Amino acid sequence: MYLSTYLPTDAELYLMPDEDVFEYSLPHIQRMFPAFHRGWVERFHVWRAAYAQPVITPHYTRTMPSVESRVRGLYLAGMAQVFPEDRGTNYAVRDGRRAGRLVADRLTASATGSDHA
């Protein structure tokens, strides 16, 4: 089961020890799954990241970083490029593959002497 909540880093829940976060979550899990029993949980992990998603501002597409950076040979594939989607592993994989194809195309063009490298 994956539970998520996105909080400021100074929020009480963000600052709680992992065990307390787990205990805090139990009533919510039980509300969603009434048959749930705490004993079913073999282990849990609490993950925190201060910067989980880029801040999308009006006209973001004007400032959104391109996959192909201004630095020759440097390509970017991250959450900043998934717009207009929200972050998600499926989008990260999709965009990582897209960036990989772009890099492969540039390498092929470079090897064949094409002017697209």
Side-chain angles (χ1 to χ4, degrees), residues 15-108:
L15 298 171
M16 282 183 187
D18 292 0
E19 182 67 36
D20 292 350
V21 172
F22 174 68
E23 293 296 330
Y24 171 88
S25 301
L26 288 175
H28 304 287
I29 296 169
Q30 289 174 316
R31 194 173 81 215
M32 292 184 289
F33 305 100
F36 172 81
H37 294 283
R38 187 186 196 284
W40 295 352
V41 178
E42 294 179 11
R43 64 181 166 260
F44 64 89
H45 175 75
V46 177
W47 185 76
R48 296 172 181 84
Y51 304 102
Q53 178 173 348
V55 176
I56 306 302
T57 56
H59 310 292
Y60 181 69
T61 55
R62 295 180 192 165
T63 59
M64 184 171 68
S66 174
V67 172
E68 194 166 8
S69 78
R70 294 181 191 172
V71 177
R72 183 179 174 90
L74 177 63
Y75 298 86
L76 307 172
M79 290 299 133
Q81 284 93 8
V82 300
F83 180 82
E85 315 293 352
D86 197 5
R87 73 183 164 275
T89 302
N90 53 328
Y91 304 123
V93 169
R94 176 198 67 193
D95 290 354
R97 287 179 175 163
R98 188 179 296 154
R101 281 192 298 273
L102 179 62
V103 170
D105 290 348
R106 294 298 186 263
L107 289 172
T108 300

